[in-house]
Amino acid sequence: MSRLRLCTIFLLSIVSNYIGIVSSVSRFDDKTDTPIIGVLAQEISWRLDQIWPGVYESYIAASYIKFVEGGGARTVPIWIGKPRSYYETVLKKLNGVLLPGGGTWFNQSHGYAVAGSHIYDIAQEMNDNGIYFPLFGTCLGFELLLYVSNENQEYRTYCSSQKQSLPLDFNKDFQNSRLFGTAPESIIDILKNEAVTPNFHSYCVTKENMTQFGLDKKWDTLSTNRDFKGLEFISTIEHKRYPFYGVQFHPEKVLYEWIRNRNISHTEGAVASAQYFAQFFVNECRKNDNRFDSIDEENQMLIYNFPCTFTGRLNSTFEQSYLFERDIDYGRGNGENEDITVVLV
């Protein structure tokens, strides 16, 4: 064998080993660079149902889809009203789930809260079995995370925080958290000193709620705020054990909602801080290596299969919405006869 050929084989061996090492490190640090995140649908809003009476069964505000995409991921809609087996199947293909805000009853059969309860339980089981599976809840989704943690029992307090943009009042040890521990100091400064977190909620979670129902044993409070009447409420949480996170405010509105007179900040600092939450959650989802069985299956389930409607011009609180019709199956299945008791948000 010639010396040239030996040298070539030797170099190829070195390159192959190097690629193997780099690949293994990459898989360990970031298990996927193409994350796909589920976004839970919910019952059609009252306002949208007034525009199209009886036509649509569920919807997803497009700002939540864009929030995930802006963080570097793609999205799959997760349907309400399906049996637990559906959620078990779909979560095994996804890298995380976003529970969006909105306005719906928690006690509707086959609705948002029932689906969210299944998702929470399955995600908890997956993490217990060594599969890193993140959840992120916004506003109503934030409240749902705690609601499910409270055995599907009501725990919240009425408050007045509609169209209220605020800086965060961080807890003393907030930088020991996963959510803020690696945040750039510039982002912390913005969140601490500028009114960049828009709030739209009639219920609040207080420290007293957390203590009374034992939720403080499962969740860490990272920040608080005060509503228009001075009531202190919790604005940011993360689970002590699982990669579950919740914000009472709306970072997606800062980036993608432009309805006038909503008191939503769109300053450079507001956009940078809102983008931080999107990138943080997507990066958490990169740690999960779930996959679809095929590219065809993946393509069939992506949100790109559905049209997006300009609802902002129709007096909706959302600029754009994905609307899902009542008479289209969407692979829903028959659902289960389950009820969760609570009240409207």
Side-chain angles (χ1 to χ4, degrees):
M1 185 178 297
S2 69
R3 180 176 297 179
L4 177 60
R5 186 177 181 188
L6 283 172
C7 289
T8 302
I9 293 172
F10 178 69
L11 288 172
L12 287 173
S13 176
I14 291 175
V15 170
S16 178
N17 288 337
Y18 175 76
I19 292 173
I21 291 171
V22 170
S23 297
S24 66
V25 171
S26 176
R27 286 195 300 269
F28 179 79
D29 290 340
D30 291 323
K31 291 188 176 181
T32 177
D33 61 358
T34 57
I36 299 178
I37 296 171
V39 180
L40 181 60
Q42 65 182 271
E43 296 87 340
I44 195 70
S45 71
W46 177 87
R47 187 166 297 178
L48 292 175
D49 195 47
Q50 293 299 303
I51 298 170
W52 295 284
V55 175
Y56 297 106
E57 181 177 49
S58 61
Y59 81 102
I60 299 174
S63 51
Y64 291 104
I65 303 298
K66 296 176 185 179
F67 179 75
V68 170
E69 292 178 342
R74 290 173 293 166
T75 60
V76 163
I78 300 179
W79 312 123
I80 58 175
K82 294 195 64 111
R84 181 184 172 93
S85 58
Y86 160 77
Y87 302 102
E88 290 175 341
T89 299
V90 74
L91 261 62
K92 291 177 182 177
K93 304 173 187 296
L94 299 173
N95 305 115
V97 171
L98 172 67
L99 304 172
T104 186
W105 296 88
F106 278 3
N107 63 347
Q108 292 195 44
S109 297
H110 320 307
Y112 173 85
V114 176
S117 182
H118 287 318
I119 290 168
Y120 186 97
D121 290 344
I122 295 164
Q124 186 173 262
E125 292 173 5
M126 293 172 75
N127 281 284
D128 285 340
N129 291 327
I131 300 172
Y132 198 87
F133 195 92
L135 301 178
F136 192 94
T138 300
C139 196
L140 184 65
F142 162 98
E143 296 167 17
L144 181 60
L145 288 172
L146 294 172
Y147 175 73
V148 175
S149 295
N150 197 41
E151 305 299 329
N152 297 335
Q153 298 298 316
E154 182 56 270
Y155 67 97
R156 297 168 296 179
T157 298
Y158 285 104
C159 69
S160 179
S161 189
Q162 290 287 344
K163 302 182 184 179
Q164 186 182 25
S165 286
L166 299 164
L168 297 181
D169 298 326
F170 285 110
N171 280 18
K172 184 177 180 180
D173 58 351
F174 78 99
Q175 286 185 303
N176 293 331
S177 66
R178 299 183 300 273
L179 181 54
F180 295 118
T182 58
E185 194 60 36
S186 60
I187 297 298
I188 298 300
D189 286 343
I190 292 167
L191 290 169
K192 185 183 295 185
N193 298 307
E194 300 179 27
V196 295
T197 65
N199 289 265
F200 292 85
H201 50 100
S202 299
Y203 285 90
C204 288
V205 183
T206 66
K207 291 180 179 178
E208 290 75 19
N209 296 149
M210 298 289 281
T211 301
Q212 179 183 357
F213 295 99
L215 293 168
D216 58 339
K217 295 180 173 60
K218 301 176 182 178
W219 295 85
D220 286 327
T221 296
L222 308 182
S223 72
T224 60
N225 283 109
R226 292 189 180 273
D227 75 353
F228 285 119
K229 297 180 179 179
L231 175 70
E232 184 181 55
F233 64 88
I234 294 170
S235 48
T236 314
I237 57 172
E238 73 176 23
H239 201 282
K240 292 178 181 290
R241 180 176 178 183
Y242 303 114
F244 300 168
Y245 308 92
V247 295
Q248 183 70 85
F249 51 91
H250 289 268
E252 82 291 341
K253 289 185 183 295
V254 170
L255 297 166
Y256 304 112
E257 298 291 4
W258 301 90
I259 305 298
R260 295 182 179 181
N261 302 319
R262 301 288 287 174
N263 195 27
I264 300 171
S265 176
H266 300 290
T267 65
E268 183 178 354
V271 169
S273 62
Q275 189 65 41
Y276 171 78
F277 290 101
Q279 291 177 339
F280 171 85
F281 178 52
V282 169
N283 286 339
E284 283 287 277
C285 294
R286 293 179 190 276
K287 300 175 184 177
N288 175 284
D289 61 357
N290 288 349
R291 294 285 192 279
F292 284 86
D293 294 336
S294 67
I295 296 297
D296 286 342
E297 181 188 40
E298 178 182 295
N299 287 339
Q300 289 172 8
M301 296 184 70
L302 289 169
I303 193 67
Y304 306 141
N305 290 287
F306 302 93
C308 189
T309 302
F310 180 16
T311 48
R313 65 186 176 87
L314 301 172
N315 201 33
S316 169
T317 57
F318 305 114
E319 289 285 6
Q320 293 178 296
S321 302
Y322 290 89
L323 306 171
F324 308 111
E325 295 181 16
R326 293 182 184 277
D327 59 350
I328 295 180
D329 181 53
Y330 296 133
R332 283 174 49 86
N334 295 322
E336 295 176 342
N337 186 22
E338 301 180 54
D339 292 316
I340 293 181
T341 304
V342 95
V343 292
L344 180 65
V345 173

